[in-house]
Amino acid sequence: MRAARLIKMVLLLQSRPSMTASELARELEVSERTITRDAQALSEAGVPVYADRGRAGGYRLIGGYRTRLTGLARGEAEALFLSGVPGALREMGLDDVSSAARLKVSAALLPSLRDASDTAAQRFHLDAPGWYHEPETPELLPVIAEAVWGDLLLRTRYRREDTDVERQLAPYGLVLKAGVWYLCAAVEGTFRVYRIDRFVSAEPLQERFSREASFDLPAFWEERAAEFARSLLRAEVVVRLTREGARRLPHLTDRAAAHASIEAADPPDGDGRITVTLPVESEEVAYEQLLSLGPEGEILAPRTLRDRFAEAAEGLRKLYG
């Protein structure tokens, strides 16, 4: 336990110019007195930990000291090699850089752990695109990725319906969703999302932009993705469901909308069925999604959709006698 804490303390001090005793105590979840004892133990073991006294003081490593990655367990080493997504790195033009980094990490590992990259690769593979979809790498992705990593402003032309729109963007981050690449960027103080395959041109400028410290890419994407999903649900259908139909509904349509409609439903009727009002993209989409419920779901409204289901049921009755 203490050995692991000492290794983590050295790695923390390697990653920052200096840290106070209270900062180290908070990171390592121990008391400041324990930090003092650990620093003394590291110093006695030959690790050059130096303590600066005074109000602005703290602990730091001197002499450019670096530790080799000899404290990693096999599971930790394998997890390290899982942190990259080779296909995505290749599409962004970062495969050479990624390969060099992996080689350096491998060289720093103990000999017994140097096969960690191979064992991890044989146990996990990310295939981002959905089934029946052959993804194409957007031609401008490497250029845009370079601007993202360098915090460089982008001069772009973006295809919107039948026109091209010129924009100067501050490219904050890239998202790969189901095989499609998106750019999250700031334009005129507002954050927006752009499909990268719709960029007609993209030119990195020499001017850098200052990132907003509060911007959180995963949180921003999650919020926008939820907003987009909700914006598609412009119609409603009323469905009477058996217990099995209620169980299957979230797997057939928008999951959040299905769960919300089921939770808002009144108690089951005398036949054990519940009636839900379900937001859907359109009647056409609802027809395709809900037809697979079969007898586990009865469309009550709108009347036009109910009639379509009745026609489908009659057609099946004739087909199967």
Side-chain angles (χ1 to χ4, degrees):
M1 181 69 177
R2 190 189 185 200
R5 188 176 71 243
L6 292 174
I7 291 172
K8 186 174 180 180
M9 182 174 176
V10 173
L11 293 174
L12 284 169
L13 292 174
Q14 278 186 190
S15 65
R16 308 179 193 181
S18 68
M19 296 183 69
T20 65
S22 63
E23 289 172 336
L24 285 167
R26 185 166 56 252
E27 289 279 355
L28 299 174
E29 299 181 346
V30 295
S31 66
E32 292 187 27
R33 181 173 296 180
T34 299
I35 294 298
T36 301
R37 289 198 297 265
D38 285 353
Q40 180 65 31
L42 287 171
S43 182
E44 292 173 357
V47 178
V49 177
Y50 181 78
D52 291 315
R53 306 298 179 185
R55 292 180 58 189
Y59 293 94
R60 59 187 174 89
L61 295 175
I62 60 175
Y65 179 84
R66 309 295 293 176
T67 183
R68 290 171 61 84
L69 297 176
T70 54
L72 288 178
R74 170 164 291 278
E76 294 170 329
E78 291 173 346
L80 179 64
F81 285 101
L82 286 177
S83 61
V85 184
L89 292 170
R90 181 173 58 253
E91 292 183 11
M92 287 188 289
L94 297 175
D95 50 339
D96 290 340
V97 176
S98 174
S99 177
R102 287 195 298 272
L103 285 173
K104 290 178 180 179
V105 171
S106 295
L109 290 171
L110 289 171
S112 61
L113 299 179
R114 287 180 185 164
D115 66 339
S117 60
D118 295 329
T119 58
Q122 295 306 316
R123 286 164 175 78
F124 177 79
H125 173 67
L126 176 64
D127 184 10
W131 291 104
Y132 317 116
H133 175 68
E134 191 66 32
E136 293 184 4
T137 302
E139 182 180 350
L140 294 172
L141 176 60
V143 174
I144 294 173
E146 181 182 356
V148 169
W149 296 117
D151 292 344
L152 298 174
L153 290 172
L154 270 175
R155 181 183 294 118
T156 67
R157 280 196 304 123
Y158 187 77
R159 187 171 61 255
R160 179 175 295 169
E161 296 179 351
D162 297 329
T163 61
D164 292 347
V165 180
E166 293 189 0
R167 288 282 188 272
Q168 181 169 294
L169 309 175
Y172 270 68
L174 297 167
V175 174
L176 176 60
K177 169 71 171 178
V180 179
W181 284 94
Y182 296 88
L183 173 68
C184 300
V187 53
E188 299 176 354
T190 302
F191 286 101
R192 299 180 182 176
V193 176
Y194 299 88
R195 275 187 61 142
I196 290 184
D197 57 8
R198 293 181 183 168
F199 281 105
V200 178
S201 66
E203 177 189 356
L205 306 179
Q206 296 301 313
E207 182 182 354
R208 295 179 181 273
F209 66 93
S210 298
R211 287 177 169 265
E212 289 189 18
S214 61
F215 180 78
D216 184 325
L217 179 60
F220 170 78
W221 176 259
E222 182 178 1
E223 179 183 348
R224 287 304 174 90
E227 288 179 2
F228 176 73
R230 288 193 298 268
S231 71
L232 294 177
L233 307 179
R234 302 188 182 96
E236 288 184 343
V237 299
V238 181
V239 191
R240 187 166 173 257
L241 300 165
T242 64
R243 179 177 297 180
E244 174 62 16
R247 185 192 68 80
R248 289 165 53 185
L249 185 66
H251 302 286
L252 302 175
T253 184
D254 182 85
R255 186 179 298 270
H259 282 302
S261 65
I262 291 171
E263 290 176 3
D266 291 332
D269 59 21
D271 295 328
R273 296 181 176 235
I274 62 171
T275 299
V276 303
T277 301
L278 178 69
V280 294
E281 185 173 343
S282 65
E283 284 191 28
E284 185 66 34
V285 172
Y287 177 78
E288 295 176 358
Q289 292 175 335
L290 301 180
L291 192 61
S292 61
L293 281 173
E296 308 300 334
E298 177 189 0
I299 305 298
L300 302 180
R303 185 71 197 186
T304 51
L305 185 60
R306 180 179 174 86
D307 290 344
R308 286 192 66 182
F309 272 74
E311 290 174 6
E314 179 63 17
L316 287 171
R317 188 195 65 78
K318 291 179 179 179
L319 182 63
Y320 290 100

